[in-house]
Amino acid sequence: MNRTALITGVTGQDGSYLSELLLEKGYRVHGLVRRSSSFNRKRIDHLRSNEDFILHYGDMTDSSNLIRIIKTIEPDEIYHLAAQSHVQISFDVPEYTANTDGLGTLRILEAVRLLGLVERTRIYNACTSELYGEVKEIPQTENTPFHPRSPYGVAKLYSFWIAKNYREAYGMFNSNGILFNHESPRRGENFVTRKITLSIKDILDGKMKILSLGNINAKRDWGYAPDYVEAMWLMLQQDEADDYVISTNETHSVREFVEIAFREAGIEITWEGEGLKEVGIDPNGNVLVKIDPKYFRPSEVDHLRGDPSKAKKELGWEPKTDFRTLVRKMMKAELEQ
Ligand code: NAP
Ligand code: GDD
């Protein structure tokens, strides 16, 4: 294919699956990695020997570095995935989150513009169902008004609109993917799905006694990350840039995720008590799940469900993996480790 892509956030869950997909398609893939005191490349380690996979040190808060990298590579496609992506942590580091997730997108757009690459470079911008926050309708579509509920959601709102504004103002090919939650065995350990599967494994291994969670009644539209990175690629193969919801149109609670994950590990969980006193117990009466208010968020997103009809019609994209299969895959991978 002889095309060149730059992936910001290449060490993350999505960056790793997208790298595999693009390399399979024959792309030369450049990835932006942050310097850290210990190596954080375990998701992409298996790609290290591929000579079409090239890493560059960089950071979304450093404009000159981004300009230099983009100037050197002159990418056909930029997949802008880098972000401080944890919603609860964005309440602890709101300014950093705004800088990375909001202004970071502006830095990429400006770099492409200043380098005269507007005609050449197409940009995928990683937006999120967190934009809907306090949802105005169910299911959410591309036309549903936004009402973000966290510094992360607000930073991504800026990211969404600045990409759209540069599309309208300068004719740039910037597509916003409004992706709903997507998970995998490579999901970060402090997102709820991975925290649950990892904790169940630790409980079975005797390393942990109780899984502590926050709001187990929150509902999410959970898909499988490898399915979702295909949608990113498809968005950049269209004749025109646009905004797309990528989701399954199914919603499930954290509670359901807990029940199914434990079941996959051979333990039937039942619930007793209410509110902060609610616990999940195994058939022998052992408490395996409890509620800890430290995981409650100052403002929560209660219910997400996305309608991906536009993506189906225009991109020919559909989710391939249902909720139960997703939980099974994640739990199986955890138990096999
Ligand atoms: P992730 O696993 O948390 O990966 C985030 C990536 O961004 C990592 O490579 C991280 O590097 C990098 N990064 C963070 N801050 C950076 C900075 N200042 N400079 C350079 N790189 C930085 O996230 P993900 O699940 O793959 O999600 C990818 C993107 O989609 C994110 O923008 C996220 O907000 C968005 N999104 C995700 C979901 C989802 O459900 N997964 C849904 C909607 C939207 P380190 O490895 O060094 O930390
Ligand atoms: N992380 C976490 N840890 N969440 C918990 C816990 C816990 O112990 N207990 C309950 N939850 C609830 C959260 O309050 C939230 O309602 C839900 O589980 C999902 O939380 P996360 O897995 O942290 O994901 P998120 O929905 O907040 O954000 C993810 O999805 C967004 C798309 O909707 C992230 O990947 C974001 O980057 C992404 O934009």
Side-chain angles (χ1 to χ4, degrees):
M1 202 174 245
N2 288 330
R3 269 194 271 168
T4 300
L6 169 65
I7 303 178
T8 70
V10 75
T11 53
Q13 171 189 254
D14 292 4
S16 66
Y17 288 119
L18 182 64
S19 298
E20 289 168 6
L21 181 79
L22 296 182
L23 288 168
E24 269 166 33
K25 290 186 183 296
Y27 279 71
R28 195 166 175 80
V29 176
H30 294 261
L32 187 80
V33 294
R34 292 197 287 182
R35 189 267 162 183
S36 60
S37 65
S38 53
F39 254 42
N40 59 352
R41 300 180 188 178
K42 68 175 190 292
R43 295 188 182 101
I44 51 169
D45 241 3
H46 59 293
L47 302 175
R48 210 171 33 174
S49 60
N50 190 323
E51 59 186 29
D52 284 324
F53 188 62
I54 302 134
L55 299 178
H56 306 259
Y57 277 111
D59 199 292
M60 291 316 302
T61 58
D62 185 338
S63 300
S64 57
N65 153 269
L66 293 171
I67 292 170
R68 195 171 56 250
I69 292 171
I70 293 173
K71 183 169 190 272
T72 313
I73 301 170
E74 296 197 336
D76 300 297
E77 296 171 9
I78 295 179
Y79 295 87
H80 173 40
L81 312 181
Q84 190 302 94
S85 70
H86 201 282
V87 173
Q88 183 159 18
I89 293 171
S90 77
F91 288 97
D92 300 325
V93 289
E95 186 181 329
Y96 173 73
T97 303
N99 193 1
T100 301
D101 300 11
L103 291 180
T105 306
L106 177 67
R107 293 186 182 105
I108 294 278
L109 297 168
E110 273 297 297
V112 169
R113 204 167 76 83
L114 293 171
L115 292 167
L117 294 171
V118 167
E119 295 301 321
R120 175 182 181 124
T121 306
R122 295 179 168 207
I123 301 175
Y124 169 81
N125 185 33
C127 295
T128 164
S129 48
E130 283 288 308
L131 296 175
Y132 300 117
E134 183 78 54
V135 299
K136 305 299 178 215
E137 61 181 353
I138 299 170
Q140 295 88 52
T141 72
E142 291 78 3
N143 299 319
T144 304
F146 297 143
H147 183 153
R149 295 270 286 168
S150 63
Y152 167 80
V154 175
K156 287 282 186 178
L157 187 73
Y158 177 83
S159 174
F160 175 93
W161 279 110
I162 199 67
K164 192 156 171 144
N165 176 246
Y166 272 46
R167 181 162 85 212
E168 293 168 359
Y170 304 119
M172 292 178 74
F173 193 112
N174 304 329
S175 282
N176 287 310
I178 309 174
L179 271 56
F180 283 61
N181 297 51
H182 46 280
E183 319 291 313
S184 73
R186 296 186 197 168
R187 184 59 142 152
E189 288 89 344
N190 58 357
F191 295 93
V192 77
T193 55
R194 185 74 201 288
K195 177 176 168 181
I196 293 166
T197 59
L198 200 56
S199 302
I200 293 175
K201 161 87 167 134
D202 283 349
I203 289 170
L204 290 174
D205 288 348
K207 291 188 199 153
M208 187 192 229
K209 284 198 162 30
I210 301 182
L211 159 62
S212 299
L213 292 171
N215 177 12
I216 57 172
N217 295 317
K219 289 183 154 183
R220 289 291 182 275
D221 178 331
W222 273 301
Y224 183 46
D227 295 351
Y228 284 40
V229 299
E230 276 185 40
M232 297 175 188
W233 178 76
L234 284 167
M235 281 181 220
L236 296 198
Q237 313 315 309
Q238 304 307 300
D239 291 338
E240 289 189 6
D242 207 340
D243 308 319
Y244 295 93
V245 162
I246 301 297
S247 59
T248 67
N249 212 350
E250 259 190 56
T251 191
H252 297 274
S253 62
V254 174
R255 181 190 295 277
E256 280 176 83
F257 195 103
V258 170
E259 290 166 4
I260 299 174
F262 268 105
R263 196 168 298 138
E264 287 298 320
I267 300 172
E268 203 61 37
I269 285 286
T270 50
W271 302 95
E272 276 184 9
E274 275 178 29
L276 289 178
K277 297 226 163 71
E278 184 164 17
V279 288
I281 57 173
D282 73 8
N284 300 320
N286 300 309
V287 172
L288 299 188
V289 188
K290 69 172 187 180
I291 306 301
D292 186 335
K294 94 172 169 206
Y295 298 113
F296 291 160
R297 294 169 182 187
S299 46
E300 172 66 293
V301 172
D302 293 314
H303 190 152
L304 291 174
R305 175 154 77 89
D307 175 357
S309 303
K310 178 176 170 183
K312 184 174 180 190
K313 185 160 170 259
E314 295 184 11
L315 306 178
W317 180 88
E318 278 189 282
K320 296 184 193 131
T321 313
D322 66 19
F323 177 67
R324 268 163 208 281
T325 311
L326 168 70
V327 185
R328 192 167 302 135
K329 274 181 193 286
M330 289 184 71
M331 201 60 242
K332 187 164 178 280
E334 212 73 75
L335 295 174
E336 279 171 2
Q337 262 180 37

